Amino acid sequence: MRTERTEGPENRAHDLRHHGDAEVRDDGSALVDLAVNVRADTPPTWLRDRIAESLTGLAAYPDGRAARAAVAARHGLPVEHVLLTAGAAEAFVLLARALKVRKPVVVHPQFTEPEAALRDAGHTVDRVLLRPEDGFRLAPSAVPEDADLVVIGNPTNPTSVLHPAASIVELARPGRTLVVDEAFMDAVPGEREALAGRTEVPGLVVLRSLTKTWGLAGLRIGYVLASPEVISALERAQPLWPVSTPALAAAEACMSPRALTEAAEAAHRVTADRAHLVAGLKEFAPDGLSVTEPAEGPFVLVRLPRATAVRHHLRTLGYAVRRGDTFPGLGEDWLRLAVRDRTTVNGFLQALDRAMTLAGHGGESTR
């Protein structure tokens, strides 16, 4: 584990603005999508209907009070601890612009928007790089003691590592803002290791997204859980009416008991489907492929020789996967794969077998 600054040429080489959706735009739109970490076959019909019903109220300005109250109730918090945002990505921008920080640190590999937002706001960002030989596990002592803003994902995109809540809490300090991106936590059965709703941890800011589990990437809805003082600072940095009426309707609906039950069931399906994917991937171990384990998110991170060539061959075979080299701490030999149903995974594994052969990983396997 090491710490580095972001001014050097090695750091500029990472494209922090590259995301999985780039793999399925334009000529990739017809590909089977294992690049984007949004649950397939979503949003469900009942949620689409709820959003459609909200369209009759578009003549009025958005009123977020009911949705904010629903989020607060879901996490057992007063409404003053909740801020609704246009996706979690907006929250990163608000944090970068509204908080007065001297030494921000981002724990990588992870979602790159937090660092991009901080740099755009004029901050110099230190990186703590977790190592593959350590399983990308966090050692709290690796974070510089003088960091006054620390950002970490849990479970982390793209490594799929679920850090113990106790380890993350060790990062909390008086005078430090601790930002935990829990965008994928609702895909973890029981949301174990979640910090959402915790108010005793000093400086804690938790971000949640409704994009992943509910398939609402195009609607842009997420929220921040933090102290009233932080929420007020972020709210002042927001434009007026930042969240649309349809997005507010979705947020309120996704906090309902029905929705929470459905999300919990989906998390168990993801667990089973991920186990099937990992088992299939392990059959490629003789060809040099390794899986980062234990994976706890709705995606897995793999390392394999000639990964760039494999990714290009997969596209010709009809499958899109996420390149890993845009994540600080990873290189060209890494790929991220979204978890899909067994039928899709079986087809993908056959395509991967062919793509690895075409990329020169040896003769045809007997898969």
Side-chain angles (χ1 to χ4, degrees):
M1 222 172 289
R2 61 191 176 94
T3 303
E4 63 179 26
R5 308 306 291 269
T6 59
E7 296 97 335
E10 175 188 351
N11 300 308
R12 288 196 296 270
H14 291 96
D15 181 2
L16 301 180
R17 296 297 190 189
H18 182 89
H19 301 297
D21 61 314
E23 309 285 353
V24 291
R25 290 198 300 258
D26 302 326
D27 64 338
S29 60
L31 301 178
V32 178
D33 180 11
L34 279 78
V36 177
N37 292 326
V38 173
R39 196 176 113 213
D41 301 321
T42 51
T45 301
W46 65 264
L47 182 54
R48 290 199 303 270
D49 290 344
R50 183 71 177 272
I51 294 168
E53 290 169 6
S54 74
L55 299 181
T56 60
L58 292 185
Y61 285 97
D63 183 348
R65 289 176 296 177
R68 188 180 185 187
V71 171
R74 182 254 194 272
H75 292 288
L77 294 170
V79 293
E80 293 81 11
H81 288 256
V82 176
L83 181 68
L84 302 173
T85 59
E90 187 204 7
F92 292 125
V93 174
L94 295 176
L95 289 163
R97 294 178 179 177
L99 300 186
K100 308 300 182 185
V101 297
R102 296 173 295 95
K103 186 171 182 178
V105 170
V106 179
V107 180
H108 283 290
Q110 78 147 6
F111 185 51
T112 53
E113 278 302 313
E115 181 176 317
L118 286 163
R119 293 172 65 175
D120 287 346
H123 298 285
T124 296
V125 183
D126 284 359
R127 294 172 177 168
V128 171
L129 299 180
L130 307 185
R131 303 185 305 172
E133 52 265 42
D134 299 326
F136 297 110
R137 293 280 164 182
L138 171 70
S141 60
V143 175
E145 191 62 34
D146 59 347
D148 57 355
L149 174 70
V150 178
V151 184
I152 185 168
N154 203 36
T156 304
N157 170 22
T159 63
S160 208
V161 167
L162 182 66
H163 301 288
S167 295
I168 295 180
V169 169
E170 284 187 48
L171 297 175
R173 304 278 189 281
R176 171 186 288 178
T177 301
L178 173 59
V179 179
V180 185
D181 177 8
E182 292 188 351
F184 294 99
M185 187 61 78
D186 59 356
V188 176
E191 297 195 1
R192 66 187 191 281
E193 313 303 346
L195 290 173
R198 299 272 294 269
T199 58
E200 82 285 5
V201 181
L204 177 65
V205 177
V206 175
L207 308 185
R208 286 286 182 110
S209 171
L210 300 178
T211 292
K212 317 303 180 184
T213 289
W214 298 110
L216 298 175
L219 199 60
R220 311 310 306 140
I221 178 64
Y223 55 90
V224 182
L225 306 175
S227 69
E229 295 76 19
V230 170
I231 294 299
S232 294
L234 300 183
E235 195 168 21
R236 288 193 297 270
Q238 272 188 316
L240 293 173
W241 310 291
V243 181
S244 70
T245 295
L248 292 171
E252 185 177 359
C254 290
M255 298 301 115
S256 68
R258 171 185 181 173
L260 296 179
T261 298
E262 183 173 323
E265 293 170 350
H268 286 287
R269 287 196 302 274
V270 165
T271 299
D273 289 340
R274 183 180 59 238
H276 180 67
L277 171 60
V278 169
L281 291 169
K282 286 183 174 181
E283 294 191 24
F284 295 95
D287 299 309
L289 186 150
S290 60
V291 183
T292 300
E293 290 189 280
E296 301 282 1
F299 46 87
V300 297
L301 182 67
V302 300
R303 190 176 197 175
L304 69 162
R306 296 178 287 280
T308 299
V310 170
R311 181 169 63 87
H312 288 308
H313 286 304
L314 281 169
R315 292 183 71 85
T316 66
L317 295 168
Y319 291 85
V321 299
R322 172 66 158 89
R323 57 190 282 199
D325 62 318
T326 64
F327 293 101
L330 301 182
E332 293 184 352
D333 52 346
W334 295 90
L335 299 174
R336 190 193 70 193
L337 313 174
V339 173
R340 298 292 185 243
D341 64 272
R342 292 189 175 214
T343 299
T344 300
V345 165
N346 289 342
F348 166 73
L349 292 172
Q350 292 178 356
L352 178 62
D353 187 11
R354 180 62 177 156
M356 291 181 69
T357 299
L358 292 170
H361 283 254
E364 292 278 0
S365 78
T366 56
R367 278 191 50 84

